[in-house]
């Protein structure tokens, strides 16, 4: 259904410890947010492992030290609203990053994503772009977000998600085969309502305490 070349499975023990907390239906919104913060930092660090750097020298209290600094513009693009739950963690890791927003709403009957908001910073064609979308289910939202980024010239793009389904990965690969997906897990499948099984529930509802535990 998809090629392994488009997926990077993040197998860090702390990632999976946080994922277990997120999956647990007994986890409260407070602890869900904490686990989401932890896993987001770790996933972003992996996705940015090859971000361009340049050699610099910094002056320590005891003399100069050869160092490296990020040498490219980083743009973080959360897919609203759930992606906002990962944004602050990524910005804590890359404080200099600029932020774009893409608002997409999935029709519950057709599972088709429609855009209701888009605001991207200028110059993304020269930037290292990180799309954050916690749940890659049908892939419709992620693929649509990537379509919008391509329209403004984005070239270096990757996605981080907390849980993915084979169907979503397959659609992203079909429409954007050069985009790599960073995730700790690819779950079994989508159910008849296009929800990830076993998933972790509706990420946005569990993050903000606005609903039950329906899969997203």
């Amino acid at each position: 259904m998809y090629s392994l070349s488009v997926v990077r499975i993040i197998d860090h023990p702390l990632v999976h410890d946080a994922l277990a907390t997120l999956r647990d239906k007994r986890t409260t919104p407070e602890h869900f947010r904490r686990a989401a913060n932890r896993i987001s930092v770790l996933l972003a660090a992996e996705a940015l492992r090859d971000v361009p750097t340049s050699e610099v020298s910094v002056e320590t209290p005891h003399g100069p030290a050869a160092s490296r600094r990020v040498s490219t513009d980083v743009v973080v693009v959360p897919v609203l609203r759930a992606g906002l739950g990962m944004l602050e963690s990524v910005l804590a890791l890359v404080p200099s990053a600029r932020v774009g927003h893409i608002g997409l709403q999935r029709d519950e009957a057709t599972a088709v994503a429609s855009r209701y908001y888009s605001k991207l910073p200028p110059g993304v064609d020269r930037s290292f772009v990180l799309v954050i979308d916690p749940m890659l289910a049908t892939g419709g939202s992620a693929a649509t977000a990537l379509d919008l980024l391509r329209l403004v010239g984005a070239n270096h793009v990757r996605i981080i998600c907390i849980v993915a389904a084979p169907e979503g990965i397959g659609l992203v690969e079909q429409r954007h085969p050069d985009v790599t997906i960073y995730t700790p897990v690819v779950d079994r499948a989508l159910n008849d309502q296009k929800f990830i099984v076993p998933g972790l529930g509706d990420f946005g509802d569990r993050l903000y305490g606005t609903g039950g535990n329906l899969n997203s």
Side-chain angles (χ1 to χ4, degrees):
M1 187 174 293
Y2 64 90
S3 169
L4 292 176
S5 64
V6 303
V7 181
R8 300 283 177 86
I9 299 296
I10 309 305
D11 201 30
H12 195 290
L14 295 180
V15 168
H16 285 271
D17 181 78
L19 178 60
T21 299
L22 293 171
R23 285 197 192 272
D24 192 335
K25 67 181 182 181
R26 299 168 299 178
T27 299
T28 64
E30 175 189 359
H31 290 92
F32 192 92
R33 286 191 288 269
R34 290 180 181 177
N37 288 340
R38 285 196 292 136
I39 201 169
S40 298
V41 168
L42 293 164
L43 292 176
E46 288 295 329
L48 295 168
R49 180 180 288 275
D50 59 346
V51 67
T53 60
S54 58
E55 301 291 333
V56 299
S57 178
V58 298
E59 196 70 26
T60 80
H62 303 291
S67 306
R68 289 189 297 168
R69 289 193 184 277
V70 172
S71 61
T72 192
D73 179 57
V74 176
V75 172
V76 184
V77 182
V79 176
L80 306 180
R81 79 178 158 149
L84 290 175
M86 305 173 70
L87 177 60
E88 290 304 318
S89 302
V90 178
L91 290 179
L93 191 66
V94 194
S96 62
R98 297 185 297 154
V99 180
H101 295 87
I102 295 177
L104 299 168
Q105 186 168 0
R106 189 177 76 168
D107 185 291
E108 295 300 330
T110 64
V112 174
S114 59
R115 179 179 61 165
Y116 64 86
Y117 183 77
S118 177
K119 183 71 172 180
L120 298 171
V124 294
D125 56 316
R126 302 182 300 275
S127 304
F128 197 101
V129 181
L130 187 62
V131 176
I132 49 178
D133 191 6
M135 308 295 285
L136 185 61
T138 65
S141 295
T144 300
L146 293 170
D147 290 343
L148 293 170
L149 286 164
R150 293 302 195 205
L151 285 175
V152 294
N155 295 304
H156 305 289
V157 186
R158 58 215 33 205
I159 302 174
I160 60 172
C161 59
I162 294 173
V163 178
E167 295 89 339
I169 296 172
L171 181 63
V172 170
E173 181 184 23
Q174 175 187 339
R175 286 169 53 175
H176 299 279
D178 60 330
V179 172
T180 303
I181 300 163
Y182 292 77
T183 184
V185 65
V186 179
D187 270 0
R188 185 166 65 249
L190 301 180
N191 64 14
D192 291 341
Q193 289 75 45
K194 306 299 183 184
F195 300 144
I196 299 176
V197 178
L200 52 76
D202 185 294
F203 187 90
D205 281 346
R206 297 195 64 194
L207 185 76
Y208 299 116
T210 55
N213 291 320
L214 291 176
N215 282 349
S216 176

